[in-house]
């Protein structure tokens, strides 16, 4: 029994609670409100303190902040309408009684059955209770944009957090410079708006900076925000390829084709270290001691960090 446990340590998930359909209108309204909020504060910023600086020859501040606003707005809208890596409904031919085990860098994972989508989920793929979909390489559900963050849009999420940090910092610095340059002038609407925008920018900058730091550490170690469902044995993370490779796989690596077929195809021939062992009955079969060598028809894996399984 000890040999079996050491040879194939299965990573298990707790049984999920029954999923209850959630209303879609309020989350969508909240996401739209966030876009309006960004445009509203940006309008106040460009119409009052930024306008005064431009009229007095300080064109560097409007140009830099306008560029950051365009980048932030583009990343926010793109993330709202992006595909996080949806795995569409599978086939009913396979049932939950079939056992599938895959090996990722000498770590065994038992594929969990999704009763809603009717297929065995690959590692790091989970069913989002808010969107009622299975997402490849699931990180978390972002309520600010009412969308899941997964394999196909994680880089958009990182771009949004980074651009928001830069834009908030630029607005804060610009408003402070405006207040310093206008200390000799009486209190006016421009100053009141500059104080309002500066306080709002500072309030957003602190949590956004912490979020960016947390996500940077997560990418460097190939970890997940939704890590409670995937506990690696003895601290070993089979998806960790090193800091530089993790960042490359997250930001620069090709995303691969979308899963648009009626049945989910789990086979992807891109790596030699992922082997499938279907139909283990019972799961503690002695054949688990010696996993078969990869063949042309076996299930194989993508290695890496956010952007991999």
């Amino acid at each position: 029994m000890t040999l079996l446990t050491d040879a194939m340590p299965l990573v298990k998930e707790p049984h999920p609670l029954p999923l209850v359909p959630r209303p879609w209108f309020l989350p969508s309204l909240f996401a739209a409100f966030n876009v309006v909020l960004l445009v509203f504060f940006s309008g106040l910023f460009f119409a009052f303190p930024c306008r005064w600086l431009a009229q007095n020859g300080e064109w560097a501040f409007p140009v830099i902040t306008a560029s950051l606003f365009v980048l932030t707005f583009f990343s926010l809208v793109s993330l709202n309408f992006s595909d996080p890596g949806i795995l569409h409904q599978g086939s009913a031919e396979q049932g939950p009684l079939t056992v599938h085990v895959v090996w990722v860098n000498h770590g065994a994972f038992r594929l969990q059955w999704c009763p809603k989508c009717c297929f065995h989920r690959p590692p790091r793929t989970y069913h989002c209770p808010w969107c009622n979909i299975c997402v490849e390489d699931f990180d978390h559900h972002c309520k600010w944009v009412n969308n899941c963050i997964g394999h196909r849009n994680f880089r958009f999420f990182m771009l949004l957090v980074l651009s928001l940090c830069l834009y908030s910092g630029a607005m804060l610095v610009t408003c402070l410079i405006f207040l310093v340059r206008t200390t000799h002038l009486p209190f006016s609407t421009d100053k009141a708006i500059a104080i309002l925008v500066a306080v709002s920018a500072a309030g957003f900058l602190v949590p956004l900076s912490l979020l960016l730091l947390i996500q940077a550490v997560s990418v460097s170690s190939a970890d997940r925000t939704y890590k409670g469902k995937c506990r690696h044995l003895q601290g070993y993370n089979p998806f960790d390829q090193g800091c530089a490779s993790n960042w490359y796989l997250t930001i620069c690596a090709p995303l691969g084709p979308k899963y648009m077929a009626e049945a989910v195809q789990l086979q992807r021939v891109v790596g030699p270290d992922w082997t499938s062992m279907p139909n283990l009955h019972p799961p503690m079969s002695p054949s688990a001691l010696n996993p078969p060598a990869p063949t042309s028809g076996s299930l194989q894996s993508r290695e890496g960090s956010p952007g991999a399984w």
Side-chain angles (χ1 to χ4, degrees):
M1 183 63 67
T2 304
L3 293 176
L4 287 174
T5 305
D6 295 338
M8 190 181 64
L10 298 180
V11 177
K12 297 182 179 180
E13 296 180 2
H15 294 288
L17 297 175
L19 297 176
V20 179
R22 300 172 185 266
W24 61 269
F25 178 74
L26 291 180
S28 301
L29 186 64
F30 181 68
F33 170 77
N34 293 323
V35 178
V36 173
L37 189 66
L38 173 64
V39 175
F40 173 74
F41 276 102
S42 298
L44 293 178
F45 170 74
F46 287 109
F48 292 94
C50 207
R51 173 189 54 81
W52 187 93
L53 290 173
Q55 290 176 347
N56 289 269
E58 302 286 349
W59 283 99
F61 298 101
V63 171
I64 294 175
T65 51
S67 302
L68 292 175
F69 168 75
V70 172
L71 178 62
T72 303
F73 186 81
F74 167 77
S75 57
L76 178 60
V77 175
S78 299
L79 188 61
N80 269 278
F81 297 99
S82 62
D83 174 19
I86 300 174
L87 301 181
H88 292 265
Q89 294 286 332
S91 173
E93 296 178 358
Q94 295 185 357
L97 299 180
T98 306
V99 178
H100 293 274
V101 177
V102 295
W103 292 78
V104 184
N105 292 338
H106 311 292
F109 291 81
R110 178 175 177 177
L111 302 188
Q112 302 296 320
W113 173 260
C114 179
K116 294 290 183 179
C117 299
C118 298
F119 65 86
H120 289 86
R121 300 194 298 260
R124 289 190 165 184
T125 297
Y126 300 103
H127 192 95
C128 177
W130 289 273
C131 300
N132 196 28
I133 54 175
C134 275
V135 177
E136 177 188 6
D137 203 15
F138 181 77
D139 187 80
H140 68 282
H141 179 87
C142 183
K143 296 183 179 180
W144 294 91
V145 296
N146 191 32
N147 198 0
C148 294
I149 308 301
H151 166 58
R152 306 197 68 86
N153 65 353
F154 188 86
R155 57 191 63 181
F156 281 114
F157 174 72
M158 291 294 293
L159 178 63
L160 174 62
V161 177
L162 177 61
S163 59
L164 279 173
C165 288
L166 295 176
Y167 183 49
S168 300
M171 284 198 302
L172 177 60
V173 171
T174 302
C175 290
L176 293 178
I177 291 178
F178 166 77
L179 293 175
V180 171
R181 300 282 176 84
T182 57
T183 51
H184 62 284
L185 299 177
F187 189 80
S188 61
T189 304
D190 290 352
K191 287 189 175 182
I193 297 299
I195 294 174
L196 174 63
V197 173
V199 172
S200 302
F204 282 108
L205 182 60
V206 174
L208 284 172
S209 300
L210 293 176
L211 177 60
L212 181 63
L213 178 61
I214 292 173
Q215 291 295 335
V217 173
S218 176
V219 172
S220 301
S221 59
D223 209 342
R224 283 294 176 279
T225 304
Y226 196 71
K227 62 183 179 181
K229 297 291 186 179
C230 184
R231 301 178 178 88
H232 304 299
L233 299 178
Q234 300 177 353
Y236 169 68
N237 184 358
F239 302 96
D240 189 2
Q241 303 297 312
C243 182
S245 298
N246 293 339
W247 277 98
Y248 168 77
L249 292 169
T250 302
I251 306 300
C252 304
L255 294 177
K258 292 185 178 182
Y259 290 93
M260 299 302 293
E262 295 181 358
V264 175
Q265 302 295 328
L266 298 181
Q267 181 175 351
R268 278 191 170 184
V269 185
V270 285
D273 296 331
W274 189 317
T275 351
S276 166
M277 297 194 311
N279 301 326
L280 293 180
H281 297 291
M284 299 306 295
S285 169
S287 62
L289 286 172
N290 299 311
T295 60
S296 59
S298 62
L299 181 66
Q300 301 182 350
S301 76
R302 297 179 306 162
E303 302 175 349
S305 59
W309 291 118

mmCIF file of all heavy atoms in Angstrom, residues 138-172:
data_model
loop_
_atom_site.group_PDB
_atom_site.id
_atom_site.type_symbol
_atom_site.label_atom_id
_atom_site.label_comp_id
_atom_site.label_asym_id
_atom_site.label_seq_id
_atom_site.Cartn_x
_atom_site.Cartn_y
_atom_site.Cartn_z
ATOM 1 N N PHE A 138 -8.050 27.858 -14.786
ATOM 2 C CA PHE A 138 -8.855 28.835 -14.059
ATOM 3 C C PHE A 138 -8.034 29.495 -12.953
ATOM 4 O O PHE A 138 -7.362 28.823 -12.169
ATOM 5 C CB PHE A 138 -10.076 28.130 -13.463
ATOM 6 C CG PHE A 138 -11.005 29.025 -12.698
ATOM 7 C CD1 PHE A 138 -11.881 29.857 -13.375
ATOM 8 C CD2 PHE A 138 -11.009 29.040 -11.322
ATOM 9 C CE1 PHE A 138 -12.757 30.672 -12.691
ATOM 10 C CE2 PHE A 138 -11.876 29.849 -10.622
ATOM 11 C CZ PHE A 138 -12.754 30.672 -11.305
ATOM 12 N N ASP A 139 -8.080 30.825 -12.890
ATOM 13 C CA ASP A 139 -7.408 31.567 -11.816
ATOM 14 C C ASP A 139 -8.421 32.100 -10.810
ATOM 15 O O ASP A 139 -8.325 31.825 -9.634
ATOM 16 C CB ASP A 139 -6.590 32.720 -12.401
ATOM 17 C CG ASP A 139 -5.745 33.418 -11.351
ATOM 18 O OD1 ASP A 139 -4.671 32.878 -11.015
ATOM 19 O OD2 ASP A 139 -6.155 34.481 -10.847
ATOM 20 N N HIS A 140 -9.389 32.892 -11.269
ATOM 21 C CA HIS A 140 -10.441 33.377 -10.387
ATOM 22 C C HIS A 140 -11.536 34.014 -11.243
ATOM 23 O O HIS A 140 -11.361 34.218 -12.451
ATOM 24 C CB HIS A 140 -9.898 34.391 -9.367
ATOM 25 C CG HIS A 140 -9.467 35.687 -9.983
ATOM 26 N ND1 HIS A 140 -8.266 35.835 -10.652
ATOM 27 C CD2 HIS A 140 -10.080 36.907 -10.054
ATOM 28 C CE1 HIS A 140 -8.151 37.079 -11.087
ATOM 29 N NE2 HIS A 140 -9.237 37.743 -10.756
ATOM 30 N N HIS A 141 -12.655 34.316 -10.606
ATOM 31 C CA HIS A 141 -13.724 35.056 -11.269
ATOM 32 C C HIS A 141 -13.643 36.506 -10.824
ATOM 33 O O HIS A 141 -13.753 36.803 -9.632
ATOM 34 C CB HIS A 141 -15.103 34.479 -10.924
ATOM 35 C CG HIS A 141 -16.232 35.221 -11.565
ATOM 36 N ND1 HIS A 141 -16.693 34.919 -12.832
ATOM 37 C CD2 HIS A 141 -16.987 36.253 -11.121
ATOM 38 C CE1 HIS A 141 -17.689 35.738 -13.136
ATOM 39 N NE2 HIS A 141 -17.880 36.559 -12.115
ATOM 40 N N CYS A 142 -13.422 37.404 -11.773
ATOM 41 C CA CYS A 142 -13.278 38.830 -11.470
ATOM 42 C C CYS A 142 -14.635 39.504 -11.574
ATOM 43 O O CYS A 142 -15.192 39.649 -12.676
ATOM 44 C CB CYS A 142 -12.268 39.466 -12.427
ATOM 45 S SG CYS A 142 -11.954 41.212 -12.073
ATOM 46 N N LYS A 143 -15.174 39.937 -10.445
ATOM 47 C CA LYS A 143 -16.488 40.585 -10.447
ATOM 48 C C LYS A 143 -16.424 42.003 -11.004
ATOM 49 O O LYS A 143 -17.458 42.550 -11.400
ATOM 50 C CB LYS A 143 -17.052 40.598 -9.031
ATOM 51 C CG LYS A 143 -17.321 39.208 -8.470
ATOM 52 C CD LYS A 143 -17.943 39.271 -7.090
ATOM 53 C CE LYS A 143 -18.215 37.866 -6.554
ATOM 54 N NZ LYS A 143 -18.833 37.894 -5.211
ATOM 55 N N TRP A 144 -15.236 42.595 -11.033
ATOM 56 C CA TRP A 144 -15.110 43.959 -11.554
ATOM 57 C C TRP A 144 -15.380 44.013 -13.058
ATOM 58 O O TRP A 144 -15.820 45.049 -13.573
ATOM 59 C CB TRP A 144 -13.721 44.514 -11.249
ATOM 60 C CG TRP A 144 -13.474 44.702 -9.790
ATOM 61 C CD1 TRP A 144 -12.933 43.802 -8.924
ATOM 62 C CD2 TRP A 144 -13.796 45.860 -9.012
ATOM 63 N NE1 TRP A 144 -12.887 44.321 -7.651
ATOM 64 C CE2 TRP A 144 -13.407 45.590 -7.681
ATOM 65 C CE3 TRP A 144 -14.359 47.096 -9.317
ATOM 66 C CZ2 TRP A 144 -13.575 46.519 -6.655
ATOM 67 C CZ3 TRP A 144 -14.518 48.027 -8.295
ATOM 68 C CH2 TRP A 144 -14.131 47.731 -6.990
ATOM 69 N N VAL A 145 -15.108 42.933 -13.752
ATOM 70 C CA VAL A 145 -15.367 42.878 -15.193
ATOM 71 C C VAL A 145 -16.405 41.814 -15.528
ATOM 72 O O VAL A 145 -16.719 41.611 -16.706
ATOM 73 C CB VAL A 145 -14.069 42.599 -15.970
ATOM 74 C CG1 VAL A 145 -13.075 43.731 -15.785
ATOM 75 C CG2 VAL A 145 -13.440 41.277 -15.552
ATOM 76 N N ASN A 146 -16.915 41.116 -14.501
ATOM 77 C CA ASN A 146 -17.919 40.071 -14.681
ATOM 78 C C ASN A 146 -17.452 39.027 -15.689
ATOM 79 O O ASN A 146 -18.156 38.679 -16.641
ATOM 80 C CB ASN A 146 -19.258 40.667 -15.124
ATOM 81 C CG ASN A 146 -20.385 39.639 -15.067
ATOM 82 O OD1 ASN A 146 -20.370 38.745 -14.220
ATOM 83 N ND2 ASN A 146 -21.357 39.759 -15.951
ATOM 84 N N ASN A 147 -16.240 38.535 -15.477
ATOM 85 C CA ASN A 147 -15.684 37.535 -16.374
ATOM 86 C C ASN A 147 -14.679 36.700 -15.593
ATOM 87 O O ASN A 147 -14.079 37.160 -14.619
ATOM 88 C CB ASN A 147 -14.993 38.190 -17.568
ATOM 89 C CG ASN A 147 -14.797 37.225 -18.725
ATOM 90 O OD1 ASN A 147 -15.178 36.053 -18.640
ATOM 91 N ND2 ASN A 147 -14.209 37.693 -19.803
ATOM 92 N N CYS A 148 -14.515 35.460 -16.045
ATOM 93 C CA CYS A 148 -13.507 34.599 -15.434
ATOM 94 C C CYS A 148 -12.123 34.968 -15.968
ATOM 95 O O CYS A 148 -11.979 35.469 -17.078
ATOM 96 C CB CYS A 148 -13.803 33.127 -15.742
ATOM 97 S SG CYS A 148 -15.318 32.511 -14.989
ATOM 98 N N ILE A 149 -11.116 34.687 -15.160
ATOM 99 C CA ILE A 149 -9.732 34.888 -15.564
ATOM 100 C C ILE A 149 -9.107 33.508 -15.706
ATOM 101 O O ILE A 149 -9.038 32.750 -14.739
ATOM 102 C CB ILE A 149 -8.948 35.731 -14.540
ATOM 103 C CG1 ILE A 149 -9.701 37.024 -14.246
ATOM 104 C CG2 ILE A 149 -7.546 36.001 -15.045
ATOM 105 C CD1 ILE A 149 -9.943 37.905 -15.448
ATOM 106 N N GLY A 150 -8.714 33.192 -16.945
ATOM 107 C CA GLY A 150 -8.172 31.870 -17.207
ATOM 108 C C GLY A 150 -7.057 31.917 -18.234
ATOM 109 O O GLY A 150 -6.368 32.938 -18.396
ATOM 110 N N HIS A 151 -6.891 30.810 -18.930
ATOM 111 C CA HIS A 151 -5.763 30.639 -19.839
ATOM 112 C C HIS A 151 -5.724 31.689 -20.949
ATOM 113 O O HIS A 151 -4.665 32.247 -21.258
ATOM 114 C CB HIS A 151 -5.831 29.236 -20.453
ATOM 115 C CG HIS A 151 -4.938 29.044 -21.629
ATOM 116 N ND1 HIS A 151 -3.577 29.222 -21.566
ATOM 117 C CD2 HIS A 151 -5.214 28.701 -22.921
ATOM 118 C CE1 HIS A 151 -3.043 28.991 -22.759
ATOM 119 N NE2 HIS A 151 -4.018 28.681 -23.596
ATOM 120 N N ARG A 152 -6.852 32.002 -21.541
ATOM 121 C CA ARG A 152 -6.870 32.823 -22.749
ATOM 122 C C ARG A 152 -6.901 34.318 -22.467
ATOM 123 O O ARG A 152 -6.671 35.119 -23.391
ATOM 124 C CB ARG A 152 -8.052 32.441 -23.645
ATOM 125 C CG ARG A 152 -8.111 30.964 -24.000
ATOM 126 C CD ARG A 152 -9.007 30.733 -25.179
ATOM 127 N NE ARG A 152 -8.429 31.299 -26.387
ATOM 128 C CZ ARG A 152 -7.554 30.656 -27.160
ATOM 129 N NH1 ARG A 152 -7.172 29.430 -26.852
ATOM 130 N NH2 ARG A 152 -7.067 31.239 -28.237
ATOM 131 N N ASN A 153 -7.228 34.753 -21.245
ATOM 132 C CA ASN A 153 -7.288 36.196 -20.981
ATOM 133 C C ASN A 153 -6.489 36.608 -19.755
ATOM 134 O O ASN A 153 -6.652 37.736 -19.266
ATOM 135 C CB ASN A 153 -8.742 36.648 -20.834
ATOM 136 C CG ASN A 153 -9.429 36.038 -19.622
ATOM 137 O OD1 ASN A 153 -8.887 35.172 -18.941
ATOM 138 N ND2 ASN A 153 -10.644 36.474 -19.354
ATOM 139 N N PHE A 154 -5.623 35.721 -19.245
ATOM 140 C CA PHE A 154 -4.837 36.096 -18.069
ATOM 141 C C PHE A 154 -3.889 37.247 -18.395
ATOM 142 O O PHE A 154 -3.668 38.131 -17.562
ATOM 143 C CB PHE A 154 -4.040 34.894 -17.558
ATOM 144 C CG PHE A 154 -3.361 35.146 -16.244
ATOM 145 C CD1 PHE A 154 -4.040 34.938 -15.056
ATOM 146 C CD2 PHE A 154 -2.055 35.597 -16.193
ATOM 147 C CE1 PHE A 154 -3.420 35.185 -13.829
ATOM 148 C CE2 PHE A 154 -1.429 35.831 -14.983
ATOM 149 C CZ PHE A 154 -2.107 35.625 -13.798
ATOM 150 N N ARG A 155 -3.347 37.286 -19.598
ATOM 151 C CA ARG A 155 -2.434 38.374 -19.959
ATOM 152 C C ARG A 155 -3.174 39.689 -20.076
ATOM 153 O O ARG A 155 -2.608 40.764 -19.788
ATOM 154 C CB ARG A 155 -1.693 38.038 -21.254
ATOM 155 C CG ARG A 155 -2.572 37.735 -22.447
ATOM 156 C CD ARG A 155 -1.757 37.156 -23.602
ATOM 157 N NE ARG A 155 -1.146 35.877 -23.244
ATOM 158 C CZ ARG A 155 -0.373 35.178 -24.060
ATOM 159 N NH1 ARG A 155 -0.122 35.627 -25.276
ATOM 160 N NH2 ARG A 155 0.141 34.037 -23.667
ATOM 161 N N PHE A 156 -4.442 39.668 -20.499
ATOM 162 C CA PHE A 156 -5.240 40.888 -20.504
ATOM 163 C C PHE A 156 -5.492 41.378 -19.076
ATOM 164 O O PHE A 156 -5.512 42.589 -18.824
ATOM 165 C CB PHE A 156 -6.578 40.650 -21.216
ATOM 166 C CG PHE A 156 -6.483 40.673 -22.708
ATOM 167 C CD1 PHE A 156 -6.718 39.530 -23.446
ATOM 168 C CD2 PHE A 156 -6.166 41.834 -23.385
ATOM 169 C CE1 PHE A 156 -6.630 39.541 -24.827
ATOM 170 C CE2 PHE A 156 -6.077 41.861 -24.777
ATOM 171 C CZ PHE A 156 -6.314 40.712 -25.493
ATOM 172 N N PHE A 157 -5.686 40.433 -18.160
ATOM 173 C CA PHE A 157 -5.887 40.811 -16.769
ATOM 174 C C PHE A 157 -4.634 41.461 -16.188
ATOM 175 O O PHE A 157 -4.719 42.487 -15.499
ATOM 176 C CB PHE A 157 -6.269 39.566 -15.951
ATOM 177 C CG PHE A 157 -6.363 39.812 -14.476
ATOM 178 C CD1 PHE A 157 -7.419 40.538 -13.945
ATOM 179 C CD2 PHE A 157 -5.398 39.318 -13.611
ATOM 180 C CE1 PHE A 157 -7.500 40.768 -12.580
ATOM 181 C CE2 PHE A 157 -5.476 39.534 -12.257
ATOM 182 C CZ PHE A 157 -6.532 40.267 -11.734
ATOM 183 N N MET A 158 -3.466 40.890 -16.463
ATOM 184 C CA MET A 158 -2.219 41.485 -15.989
ATOM 185 C C MET A 158 -2.000 42.863 -16.624
ATOM 186 O O MET A 158 -1.537 43.800 -15.949
ATOM 187 C CB MET A 158 -1.053 40.564 -16.320
ATOM 188 C CG MET A 158 -1.033 39.275 -15.520
ATOM 189 S SD MET A 158 -0.755 39.552 -13.763
ATOM 190 C CE MET A 158 0.920 40.173 -13.764
ATOM 191 N N LEU A 159 -2.328 43.003 -17.907
ATOM 192 C CA LEU A 159 -2.208 44.301 -18.564
ATOM 193 C C LEU A 159 -3.136 45.329 -17.942
ATOM 194 O O LEU A 159 -2.760 46.499 -17.754
ATOM 195 C CB LEU A 159 -2.505 44.147 -20.056
ATOM 196 C CG LEU A 159 -2.479 45.434 -20.885
ATOM 197 C CD1 LEU A 159 -1.097 46.069 -20.874
ATOM 198 C CD2 LEU A 159 -2.939 45.150 -22.317
ATOM 199 N N LEU A 160 -4.352 44.914 -17.588
ATOM 200 C CA LEU A 160 -5.298 45.832 -16.963
ATOM 201 C C LEU A 160 -4.803 46.292 -15.601
ATOM 202 O O LEU A 160 -4.844 47.499 -15.293
ATOM 203 C CB LEU A 160 -6.663 45.151 -16.828
ATOM 204 C CG LEU A 160 -7.728 45.940 -16.056
ATOM 205 C CD1 LEU A 160 -8.039 47.261 -16.762
ATOM 206 C CD2 LEU A 160 -8.995 45.116 -15.880
ATOM 207 N N VAL A 161 -4.333 45.376 -14.768
ATOM 208 C CA VAL A 161 -3.856 45.758 -13.436
ATOM 209 C C VAL A 161 -2.651 46.683 -13.541
ATOM 210 O O VAL A 161 -2.547 47.698 -12.828
ATOM 211 C CB VAL A 161 -3.514 44.494 -12.618
ATOM 212 C CG1 VAL A 161 -2.936 44.885 -11.259
ATOM 213 C CG2 VAL A 161 -4.754 43.632 -12.419
ATOM 214 N N LEU A 162 -1.723 46.355 -14.451
ATOM 215 C CA LEU A 162 -0.541 47.196 -14.618
ATOM 216 C C LEU A 162 -0.905 48.584 -15.141
ATOM 217 O O LEU A 162 -0.406 49.607 -14.630
ATOM 218 C CB LEU A 162 0.441 46.511 -15.576
ATOM 219 C CG LEU A 162 1.713 47.296 -15.924
ATOM 220 C CD1 LEU A 162 2.530 47.575 -14.671
ATOM 221 C CD2 LEU A 162 2.542 46.548 -16.964
ATOM 222 N N SER A 163 -1.767 48.637 -16.140
ATOM 223 C CA SER A 163 -2.144 49.937 -16.703
ATOM 224 C C SER A 163 -2.940 50.767 -15.698
ATOM 225 O O SER A 163 -2.777 52.001 -15.637
ATOM 226 C CB SER A 163 -2.957 49.734 -17.980
ATOM 227 O OG SER A 163 -4.137 48.985 -17.726
ATOM 228 N N LEU A 164 -3.774 50.137 -14.892
ATOM 229 C CA LEU A 164 -4.504 50.872 -13.855
ATOM 230 C C LEU A 164 -3.557 51.453 -12.817
ATOM 231 O O LEU A 164 -3.745 52.584 -12.351
ATOM 232 C CB LEU A 164 -5.531 49.963 -13.193
ATOM 233 C CG LEU A 164 -6.855 49.763 -13.927
ATOM 234 C CD1 LEU A 164 -7.705 48.706 -13.231
ATOM 235 C CD2 LEU A 164 -7.630 51.077 -14.021
ATOM 236 N N CYS A 165 -2.543 50.687 -12.440
ATOM 237 C CA CYS A 165 -1.551 51.205 -11.482
ATOM 238 C C CYS A 165 -0.819 52.411 -12.060
ATOM 239 O O CYS A 165 -0.666 53.444 -11.392
ATOM 240 C CB CYS A 165 -0.558 50.108 -11.113
ATOM 241 S SG CYS A 165 -1.218 48.808 -10.052
ATOM 242 N N LEU A 166 -0.368 52.297 -13.308
ATOM 243 C CA LEU A 166 0.361 53.400 -13.931
ATOM 244 C C LEU A 166 -0.537 54.625 -14.130
ATOM 245 O O LEU A 166 -0.118 55.768 -13.878
ATOM 246 C CB LEU A 166 0.939 52.949 -15.271
ATOM 247 C CG LEU A 166 2.008 51.855 -15.201
ATOM 248 C CD1 LEU A 166 2.426 51.443 -16.614
ATOM 249 C CD2 LEU A 166 3.214 52.308 -14.403
ATOM 250 N N TYR A 167 -1.768 54.383 -14.551
ATOM 251 C CA TYR A 167 -2.683 55.504 -14.807
ATOM 252 C C TYR A 167 -3.072 56.200 -13.503
ATOM 253 O O TYR A 167 -3.109 57.443 -13.436
ATOM 254 C CB TYR A 167 -3.918 54.980 -15.535
ATOM 255 C CG TYR A 167 -4.899 56.055 -15.929
ATOM 256 C CD1 TYR A 167 -4.482 57.202 -16.587
ATOM 257 C CD2 TYR A 167 -6.260 55.912 -15.661
ATOM 258 C CE1 TYR A 167 -5.378 58.187 -16.960
ATOM 259 C CE2 TYR A 167 -7.165 56.887 -16.037
ATOM 260 C CZ TYR A 167 -6.725 58.024 -16.673
ATOM 261 O OH TYR A 167 -7.606 58.998 -17.044
ATOM 262 N N SER A 168 -3.351 55.423 -12.453
ATOM 263 C CA SER A 168 -3.695 56.029 -11.159
ATOM 264 C C SER A 168 -2.511 56.823 -10.602
ATOM 265 O O SER A 168 -2.679 57.933 -10.075
ATOM 266 C CB SER A 168 -4.111 54.937 -10.165
ATOM 267 O OG SER A 168 -5.232 54.234 -10.627
ATOM 268 N N GLY A 169 -1.312 56.258 -10.726
ATOM 269 C CA GLY A 169 -0.136 56.975 -10.264
ATOM 270 C C GLY A 169 0.107 58.250 -11.051
ATOM 271 O O GLY A 169 0.474 59.292 -10.476
ATOM 272 N N ALA A 170 -0.104 58.200 -12.371
ATOM 273 C CA ALA A 170 0.088 59.392 -13.188
ATOM 274 C C ALA A 170 -0.938 60.470 -12.851
ATOM 275 O O ALA A 170 -0.604 61.665 -12.791
ATOM 276 C CB ALA A 170 -0.003 59.024 -14.671
ATOM 277 N N MET A 171 -2.196 60.084 -12.625
ATOM 278 C CA MET A 171 -3.212 61.067 -12.245
ATOM 279 C C MET A 171 -2.888 61.677 -10.886
ATOM 280 O O MET A 171 -3.038 62.897 -10.692
ATOM 281 C CB MET A 171 -4.591 60.411 -12.213
ATOM 282 C CG MET A 171 -5.193 60.162 -13.567
ATOM 283 S SD MET A 171 -6.985 59.895 -13.507
ATOM 284 C CE MET A 171 -7.090 58.506 -12.401
ATOM 285 N N LEU A 172 -2.433 60.856 -9.943
ATOM 286 C CA LEU A 172 -2.095 61.370 -8.615
ATOM 287 C C LEU A 172 -0.946 62.375 -8.692
ATOM 288 O O LEU A 172 -1.018 63.465 -8.101
ATOM 289 C CB LEU A 172 -1.729 60.204 -7.701
ATOM 290 C CG LEU A 172 -1.282 60.563 -6.276
ATOM 291 C CD1 LEU A 172 -2.375 61.307 -5.536
ATOM 292 C CD2 LEU A 172 -0.879 59.305 -5.516
#
